[in-house]
Amino acid sequence: GVTWGTPVVLPATMTTADTVSWSPTLNLFAVGGYSDLNLNVATSPDGINWTSRTSTASQHTASTWSASNNKFVMVGLTNGTNSAYTSANGTAWIAGETPNDKQFQSVTTAQGTTLVAVGSNFESFPVENMIKSTDGGNFWSWMAPLGDTPGALALKEYHGVAYSTADNIIVAVSDNPASDENFNEYYNEGFVAVSYDNGTTWVPFSY
């Protein structure tokens, strides 16, 4: 990070590059972003030479290498029910079934092979802003933080999620949207949600 080489241009098929992750197993970088041609993933072994890969998501906005699942995981935005994709080799990307077509902004591996993704305030019911997968990213289910009623955790715009192997907890961070008397939305504080049971229940904290 002290010195940087000459900038390298990604394949012309990619309009934006929004996330990057590294696989120590495959010795491979994977970049996700937006493409009009469904070529919104590119991979590289050295960060210089890149190859376009096919994915039918509208846009990939977050990614990770899941060591326990031995695969890349990318989440983002789509117009159907496939907002999450996985790849064991970086070449073939497989769509996982997600419960909605909204935008997810962060993904992490939790305890064991459980995957957790969080995203925007969808302003609908049920409020599907937290999803998880227990089968390696093939099927994702909605996590209702406070049961069936939108409340302290439901109407949030989550931007990040991480798992602590030391404490065995998942932490998700978000904005805390509120509305004035004219129903104009604004953000009045940061917000943290913590899960002590691998994403089943969540405890809210403000800061």
Side-chain angles (χ1 to χ4, degrees), residues 190-205:
F191 191 87
V192 176
V194 179
S195 176
Y196 300 93
D197 54 10
N198 212 33
T200 302
T201 60
W202 294 79
V203 179
F205 298 93

Side-chain angles (χ1 to χ4, degrees), residues 61-63 75 103-108 116-119 158-162:
T61 52
S63 63
V75 297
Q103 182 171 351
F104 295 97
Q105 300 179 6
S106 185
V107 61
T108 191
V116 174
V118 298
Y158 289 96
H159 300 294
V161 64

